[in-house]
Amino acid sequence: MPRSHFLAVAFLAFLAVLLVCAIGGAVLAQDATPSPDEPQTYVIQPGDTLLTIARRFNTTVTALVQENNIANAERIYWGQRIRIPAAQPPTATESSTTGAATATNPPEAATQEAATVAVTVSPEMPTVTPMPGLTLSEPITLFGYGIEANLIEQDTSVLLADIEELGVDWVKQIVYWRDLEPVQGEPDFTTLDPIVDALESQGVHILLTVTAAPDWARSIQEEDGPPDDFADFRTFMDTLASHYAGRVAAYEIWNEPNIRNRWKSTVHPINPTSYVDLLRQGYEAVKAADPSALVISAGLAVTGFNDALNSQAGELAVNAIDDRIFLAGMYASGLADVSDAVGVHPIGWANPPDARCCEPAEGVTTHYESPGFYFLQTLEDYRQIQIDNGDFESGLWPTRFAWGTSEDLGPPDPANIFTSYTDLLEQARYTARAYEIGIQSGYVGPMFVYNLNGCQAPGRDGFSSCYYSFLGPGGSPRPVFGAVQLIDKGVRAMPVTPTPLAAGPEATQPVEATSEATAEISP
């Protein structure tokens, strides 16, 4: 595609993104006031304090603390979901503290002289000064713009130029342990070294997703799976992290361990405890070899299958455990102690990034029936599971998110029919908006869109990776490339007007398994 044509397409994509954001803002503003008779929950947003929330919902700080069993009113977190008690008159302390500000301040952000903190409020509300001892909510993790690429045995100079044009500051590369150590005790990093060298020279942060044990470490060689002895994995991770100490920023331990074809084993059943045991070995090895490197738990396959729940070692006919249930089980097994952040795969399928279950967008006829098909709802459900387990400070890292399209590839196979519902410009709009949602959340860390070059280097994902690729089947940039290229990467925090959120289904409740609720986006 000539560069002029590409820029024209990119500009159209950018205008479309602006239009979607404008419409989305109008909808949010329109829906900001729920019916007073309905029970309410609220997700804490940037700039909130308990006082501003109490004023918005005509209640008191004391009532909020009591209703939600908040142990320390000085610490609230972006993304924390709280219940709103019935309306109450403000206490004398709250009235006297805020009365002057209500009477004299204009409806815009105010600055505390001592703390120099800006407070964002809705246009119709006066600015309030936070009460002494009540702090503003703050982001719990640093945001980053990332992309997943397959650089192994590719022309890295060309792909690095594409990465530089995109302006991303993180790159994810999947590392298959079985390829790097085909013979026990003889790891070989000659294929990976030039990739790390090239990415390091360009100044991007590197995430390596390490998965798939070698045949010598497994009793069964069908599909991918963990080693029989987790100590073998610890040894490999110690070697890998030592080799790249100070150069690789983060390691994601395994890929989608809640599904059979990523965790097939005669020794370790598909369950959260098994995975956390492996994660612990990887975490301890990395921290011993390179204390500055981060360890991220595996992104789980979003799936409605739950037939592996309570399965035993050697049961090989099962398919998966629902990702929400699996994550809750990981916390019960000690996840918070052996990870720096929680991986998540909030695939959007064909549903817009702001959508929640289960009203399909126009033209979407499958893959809309459960929460796992929605980008935003997956993030919200995972965050709620974190909060439910007392983990307020671990960020969510979307180590794979995506919208695919078959518009320039012809009719898709039945397993990927949902890619026919999304066109190239929708893929561009949805992806750009997803990054924006991540920034606004305050609890989302680096986001890795899938993928840069799946049409040219599909790897083990096969042809299906081409549906998501930024570079089209002929190697020319798709509109999504231009849309991400035009994002202002200097924007790392984005205060928003707090909006009440209706309570959704329990995050740990499995969805009904159907043939359409496939466990992953690729074979």
Side-chain angles (χ1 to χ4, degrees):
M1 176 187 294
R3 178 63 62 178
S4 60
H5 290 181
F6 162 66
L7 291 176
V9 172
F11 181 69
L12 288 173
F14 178 63
L15 291 179
V17 170
L18 292 179
L19 178 61
V20 168
C21 292
I23 294 172
V27 171
L28 287 176
Q30 193 174 31
D31 295 342
T33 305
S35 167
D37 297 324
E38 296 177 1
Q40 298 178 51
T41 62
Y42 176 71
V43 176
I44 292 174
Q45 301 290 334
D48 279 348
T49 68
L50 288 182
L51 179 60
T52 60
I53 296 170
R55 289 178 54 81
R56 173 175 289 272
F57 292 100
N58 194 26
T59 186
T60 66
V61 170
T62 301
L64 287 170
V65 168
Q66 293 175 345
E67 177 71 21
N68 294 279
N69 297 317
I70 296 175
N72 184 355
E74 296 183 9
R75 302 195 73 181
I76 58 176
Y77 301 86
W78 291 10
Q80 183 177 355
R81 183 176 295 178
I82 61 174
R83 295 182 299 276
I84 304 300
Q88 301 180 31
T91 65
T93 301
E94 291 167 5
S95 297
S96 61
T97 303
T98 61
T102 301
T104 60
N105 288 349
E108 57 189 26
T111 303
Q112 276 187 290
E113 190 170 309
T116 321
V117 180
V119 184
T120 302
V121 296
S122 61
E124 72 276 7
M125 292 185 63
T127 297
V128 296
T129 302
M131 292 176 62
L134 293 181
T135 60
L136 293 172
S137 61
E138 297 179 352
I140 63 171
T141 187
L142 295 177
F143 185 80
Y145 295 90
I147 192 167
E148 180 177 337
N150 184 5
L151 303 176
I152 294 176
E153 298 181 347
Q154 301 299 310
D155 187 339
T156 54
S157 61
V158 173
L159 294 173
L160 284 175
D162 291 327
I163 290 168
E164 185 175 13
E165 278 195 61
L166 283 171
V168 296
D169 48 10
W170 281 86
V171 172
K172 168 186 168 179
Q173 171 69 59
I174 291 187
V175 171
Y176 293 94
W177 174 18
R178 67 186 186 193
D179 292 344
L180 297 184
E181 193 181 8
V183 178
Q184 185 175 11
E186 299 180 17
D188 181 358
F189 302 123
T190 54
T191 58
L192 194 56
D193 282 342
I195 294 171
V196 172
D197 291 343
L199 292 173
E200 185 180 34
S201 70
Q202 194 155 305
V204 298
H205 304 296
I206 303 169
L207 169 68
L208 296 183
T209 298
V210 185
T211 191
D215 287 351
W216 58 260
R218 305 174 64 207
S219 301
I220 185 171
Q221 281 73 51
E222 296 175 7
E223 302 180 310
D224 287 340
D228 293 350
D229 186 350
F230 289 167
D232 290 333
F233 182 66
R234 183 188 187 108
T235 300
F236 175 74
M237 288 305 302
D238 176 73
T239 304
L240 182 68
S242 297
H243 186 74
Y244 294 118
R247 305 177 66 196
V248 170
Y251 295 90
E252 181 182 23
I253 305 300
W254 225 254
N255 180 46
E256 301 182 340
N258 62 317
I259 58 175
R260 188 202 63 245
N261 62 357
R262 307 297 198 214
W263 192 272
K264 192 164 189 174
S265 172
T266 58
V267 178
H268 306 290
I270 301 173
N271 67 44
T273 301
S274 292
Y275 169 67
V276 172
D277 287 345
L278 177 81
L279 173 61
R280 182 173 289 104
Q281 297 294 320
Y283 178 86
E284 292 176 354
V286 170
K287 293 301 182 181
D290 186 5
S292 64
L294 300 176
V295 176
I296 317 302
S297 67
L300 304 176
V302 286
T303 175
F305 285 104
N306 203 41
D307 60 346
L309 191 65
N310 302 319
S311 64
Q312 304 299 313
E315 291 186 43
L316 304 179
V318 296
N319 291 293
I321 294 179
D322 177 271
D323 56 305
R324 273 70 161 169
I325 293 175
F326 198 92
L327 179 60
M330 285 165 59
Y331 271 105
S333 298
L335 170 64
D337 297 327
V338 292
S339 64
D340 296 306
V342 175
V344 56
H345 287 178
I347 305 303
W349 306 87
N351 302 296
D354 291 280
R356 295 187 181 90
C357 190
C358 294
E359 291 296 326
E362 183 178 355
V364 175
T365 58
T366 65
H367 297 81
Y368 67 86
E369 304 91 343
S370 72
F373 293 136
Y374 295 81
F375 169 85
L376 177 59
Q377 193 151 357
T378 294
L379 290 179
E380 291 177 339
D381 286 354
Y382 276 48
R383 184 58 183 159
Q384 188 62 46
I385 293 170
Q386 290 184 296
I387 299 301
D388 291 344
N389 286 277
D391 185 5
F392 300 103
E393 299 185 1
S394 296
L396 287 178
W397 283 38
T399 54
R400 176 176 284 190
F401 75 97
W403 283 267
T405 178
S406 62
E407 182 180 357
D408 55 352
L409 296 173
D413 60 274
N416 290 286
I417 188 62
F418 55 90
T419 63
S420 67
Y421 311 149
T422 305
D423 62 34
L424 289 164
L425 289 181
E426 285 173 328
Q427 180 190 42
R429 293 200 306 269
Y430 293 173
T431 302
R433 174 58 183 149
Y435 279 119
E436 190 175 62
I437 289 171
I439 296 171
Q440 290 174 328
S441 75
Y443 56 80
V444 168
M447 295 177 62
F448 298 85
V449 64
Y450 176 78
N451 61 69
L452 176 63
N453 59 326
C455 292
Q456 291 71 43
R460 286 189 171 85
D461 287 344
F463 180 78
S464 64
S465 63
C466 189
Y467 295 119
Y468 305 88
S469 180
F470 275 39
L471 301 177
S476 298
R478 282 171 154 181
V480 65
F481 190 109
V484 172
Q485 184 182 32
L486 290 172
I487 294 173
D488 181 359
K489 309 303 191 304
V491 177
R492 301 292 164 137
M494 189 179 297
V496 294
T497 300
T499 303
L501 177 66
E506 289 297 319
T508 56
Q509 198 69 177
V511 297
E512 190 70 26
T514 70
S515 59
E516 309 247 50
T518 49
E520 52 182 336
I521 63 171
S522 55

